[in-house]
Each structure stands twice: as C-alpha cells, then as structure tokens.
Amino acid sequence: MKKKLGTALRIFISLALIAFLIYRSRNSFGSMLDGIKDLNIYYLIIAFVFYFIAISFIVFRWGILLKAYGHNIFRPFLWQSALIGFFYNNILPSSVGGDFYRVYDIKQNKDVPVKEGTATVVIERTIGTLTSLTMLIIAYFLGLFKYLSKNEALGLLISILVMALLFIAIFFPRLFKLNLLLNKFRIFARIRPGLKEFHGILISYRHKIKYLLISYLFSLIIQVFFIISFNSIALALGLELKFYVFIFILPFIALVSIVPITVGGIGIRENALVFAITIFGIAHGKATLFSLIVLAIILIIGMIGGIIYLIKNIFYKSKSII
C-alpha cells in the first residue's frame, strides 16, 4: 500500500509540475504554435538520433565496468537491457526502477551476482554524476555562472560541494566515521554484513583505475552526444543559443532531476530546463516548447524500450519482470 501511495504521489507531482509549466506559458501559446509550425524537421530528426545514440552509448560505459569483474556480456544484450531500463525509469510508474531491472536482467540471464551487478550500476551512475559535475566546473570557468543570480550561483556551488563530499564518503567511509555509525546502532545489525560485502565490491574499483577512466571517457562522449541533440533542438526552433551554453544546461538539469519526487524526473526536469534556458535570454514560451520536445523524445525512446521488452518476452521468453 505504501509503495502504491508513493507511486501515485510521484505521478501526481509530475502531472502537477507539467500543468504548472504549461500554465505559466499561457500567454505564450501563440508564439509556441508559431514555433511548432516553423520547426525545422531535419534538425529535429538529428536531435532524436543523437539522443538515442547517447542513451545507447550507456552500453559501453556499463559494459566496461562489468568487464572489470570478468563479465564479458554481448553488447546487444546490454543495449536491450539499457533501453528496457530506460522504459522502466521514464514510462512505467512502478516501484521497479530501470537500474533494478538491469541488475535483475543480468543476474537472471547472464548469471552476474546481484552485488556485483548492483555495484556496476551504482558506479556507472556515480561516474555519470561526476561527469555532470566536471561539466559544471568547466561551465564555471567559461563564465556561464554569471547568468545566475548570486544566490543561485552560491546554491549551485554548495550542491556541487555536497555531491563531491558524498562521492568521497562512498569510497572512503572511514573519513566520515560511517563505519562507526553502522556499528553503533542495532537497527543496522541485520544489514551490516550485506552492506560491508557490497561496499567491499564497490571500493574494489579503486584498484581498477583503467576501467574507471575508460568508463569516464565514455561518459564524456555521451554528454557530447546529448549536447549535440539539445543544440539541434535549438536550431530546429531557431533559438539563438550558443553551442557551449549546453555545457551548463545539461548537467544542471541532470543534477536537479536526481531529486526522487517524480516519475523519471518528469516535471521537475522540464521546469529546470525552462529555467536554465531562460537565463540565457530565451522567451519562456520558446523555452517551454524546447522542454516539451525533449520530453517527447524521452517518451518515444522509452516506448521503444517497452516494445523491446514485449518482443523479448513474447519471442524469446526471457526471464523478466513487470
């Protein structure tokens, strides 16, 4: 019951945030309709293709982390698993997340131990977030933070610092005395052995620097593909946005979307995207249209993942969940 209520609440918040975004643009519907009529379909297709490539490229980042533990899994299998995971994250309002599905999938079909599979997904997410932080630091030195107010810039810098400290805590818990915290409270008694084993697997990546660096490189390439996609949407809409401003916009919305209060970040991501675009002088209506196009691309790719899920279960009868 609690899970159902939580899911219902996240759906409600997503819909409410989208409704709020559209309501705020009520005086710009005319310009939005003109924007739709004047859309350059060729740039729009390029935007979709590069967004799809960026999602697909996650296979290489994930695959190299699995390879670090000797799991050489066929790339097409990881690709379909990643797309189905994307479907779970962005389309299906369930308590089963896309990352959970990927761990389950490689466990059931490729015999990858749950703890190792979970560690690869956690490290992959960590590297993705670290890449976003890197891009924000680059954006800072490019002078893009000057478009923010002092309070906004300060809040973002504090968030970056907190995320950096979180990474250090994950890999070096003794620095923050987290190991003593687990030993102190009885509530952690049952899960302590499992956490210790999982953490051992997690920090073992410190001795696999080559794999981490290659995965980080793939993560940077993924971000480049996303930047090309977003820039193509801007060109399709005829917006005067420089290519390099997306070095700030993309990681900003990625970090904001981490907040787990909506379904797949829907609603919170679109509002954050509109905010990030408008600070560079784009009208609210055009920024809203931009965010809705991104949402449409995400939903279409998510549906592709859902189709792959159905094919996988109907034709191959794979061990899976729903």
Side-chain angles (χ1 to χ4, degrees):
M1 180 60 71
K2 288 182 179 180
K3 288 182 179 180
K4 290 182 179 179
L5 287 174
T7 299
L9 181 60
R10 289 194 298 142
I11 293 172
F12 174 77
I13 294 174
S14 288
L15 294 175
L17 287 172
I18 292 294
F20 171 73
L21 182 62
I22 294 174
Y23 176 77
R24 284 192 64 193
S25 304
R26 64 191 182 281
N27 297 323
S28 305
F29 285 156
S31 63
M32 289 173 68
L33 289 174
D34 290 337
I36 293 172
K37 291 177 183 177
D38 297 334
L39 269 176
N40 187 314
I41 192 66
Y42 298 107
Y43 279 122
L44 205 57
I45 292 172
I46 292 172
F48 177 84
V49 169
F50 273 94
Y51 204 105
F52 189 79
I53 291 173
I55 297 299
S56 299
F57 230 72
I58 290 173
V59 166
F60 297 99
R61 185 174 68 188
W62 186 24
I64 200 68
L65 293 172
L66 284 165
K67 190 176 180 180
Y69 278 104
H71 302 296
N72 293 299
I73 300 175
F74 195 38
R75 290 291 186 271
F77 178 88
L78 294 180
W79 178 77
Q80 59 80 32
S81 187
L83 282 178
I84 294 173
F86 192 79
F87 163 69
Y88 270 101
N89 275 338
N90 295 282
I91 301 292
L92 201 64
S94 72
S95 59
V96 178
D99 291 339
F100 177 87
Y101 172 81
R102 288 195 288 158
V103 172
Y104 179 93
D105 198 23
I106 58 177
K107 167 64 174 67
Q108 293 297 100
N109 297 293
K110 298 297 178 181
D111 296 321
V112 177
V114 171
K115 289 186 175 64
E116 290 185 8
T118 304
T120 62
V121 170
V122 170
I123 291 292
E124 187 204 357
R125 285 285 189 175
T126 302
I127 289 174
T129 305
L130 183 61
T131 306
S132 293
L133 294 178
T134 302
M135 290 177 66
L136 281 175
I137 292 170
I138 293 172
Y140 176 80
F141 286 106
L142 287 175
L144 296 177
F145 276 42
K146 69 182 180 182
Y147 293 93
L148 299 169
S149 68
K150 288 184 178 179
N151 289 336
E152 291 167 348
L154 179 61
L156 188 55
L157 288 171
I158 291 174
S159 299
I160 293 173
L161 178 61
V162 169
M163 293 296 291
L165 291 174
L166 181 60
F167 291 145
I168 295 172
I170 289 173
F171 290 98
F172 303 97
R174 286 185 174 83
L175 291 178
F176 294 85
K177 308 299 181 182
L178 295 182
N179 56 319
L180 296 179
L181 183 67
L182 289 176
N183 292 327
K184 186 175 181 180
F185 296 99
R186 291 183 179 180
I187 191 173
F188 296 118
R190 291 185 179 180
I191 64 173
R192 193 182 300 126
L195 283 175
K196 187 175 181 180
E197 183 181 353
F198 171 72
H199 186 259
I201 295 172
L202 203 62
I203 63 174
S204 67
Y205 273 101
R206 289 186 298 178
H207 307 294
K208 303 177 187 295
I209 301 299
K210 180 183 73 172
Y211 297 99
L212 292 176
L213 289 176
I214 295 174
S215 184
Y216 179 73
L217 176 61
F218 280 131
S219 193
L220 288 173
I221 294 172
I222 289 170
Q223 291 300 321
V224 171
F225 288 146
F226 276 130
I227 289 175
I228 294 172
S229 176
F230 274 53
N231 187 66
S232 297
I233 295 173
L235 293 173
L237 289 169
L239 303 183
E240 294 183 1
L241 282 172
K242 301 293 185 183
F243 184 85
Y244 63 86
V245 302
F246 294 106
I247 295 175
F248 168 81
I249 292 173
L250 269 165
F252 174 76
I253 64 172
L255 292 178
V256 172
S257 300
I258 290 175
V259 182
I261 60 172
T262 63
V263 177
I266 294 175
I268 192 169
R269 177 184 53 237
E270 285 68 36
N271 279 275
L273 182 52
V274 169
F275 167 79
I277 292 176
T278 53
I279 66 173
F280 292 104
I282 302 301
H284 192 275
K286 288 291 182 70
T288 300
L289 184 55
F290 188 109
S291 70
L292 293 178
I293 289 173
V294 172
L295 175 59
I297 290 173
I298 289 171
L299 294 178
I300 291 171
I301 295 176
M303 286 188 286
I304 291 173
I307 293 170
I308 293 172
Y309 180 91
L310 291 176
I311 293 172
K312 181 177 179 179
N313 283 275
I314 293 171
F315 293 101
Y316 295 96
K317 301 187 183 304
S318 173
K319 299 174 183 177
S320 197
I321 54 176
I322 187 70

